[in-house]
Amino acid sequence: MRVILDNIVGCAWYEVIASPAYKNLTDEQASAALNLAKQIATESVSLHALNQRSKKWRNKQLKLEF
């Protein structure tokens, strides 16, 4: 949910949407979240790439893989 919400608003979701997010999404945000979830499910977009973007917005250190 974090990855989807961050990617539909373009930053850490809690900077834009009041908590709890599921009660405070606009219709447009809910629709965008559903569409992105479908794209992830069908592998039309990379969940890994979306997660990395989300972590960058949250200033999380990226995990090094060897």
Side-chain angles (χ1 to χ4, degrees):
M1 188 169 190
R2 166 190 53 84
V3 172
I4 291 172
L5 292 176
D6 284 1
N7 279 277
I8 66 167
V9 298
C11 61
W13 68 265
Y14 49 78
E15 295 177 9
V16 177
I17 304 167
S19 186
Y22 73 93
K23 288 186 177 182
N24 294 297
L25 292 173
T26 65
D27 289 341
E28 182 178 290
Q29 291 166 331
S31 179
L34 178 60
N35 288 333
L36 186 53
K38 288 178 180 179
Q39 290 176 341
I40 292 168
T42 61
E43 299 180 352
S44 299
V45 296
S46 168
L47 178 57
H48 176 75
L50 294 173
N51 186 43
Q52 294 305 311
R53 186 183 308 165
S54 173
K55 289 178 4 182
K56 183 177 179 184
W57 287 322
R58 292 162 173 270
N59 296 316
K60 301 279 183 181
Q61 186 171 357
L62 301 179
K63 179 181 176 184
L64 297 176
E65 296 182 26
F66 295 94

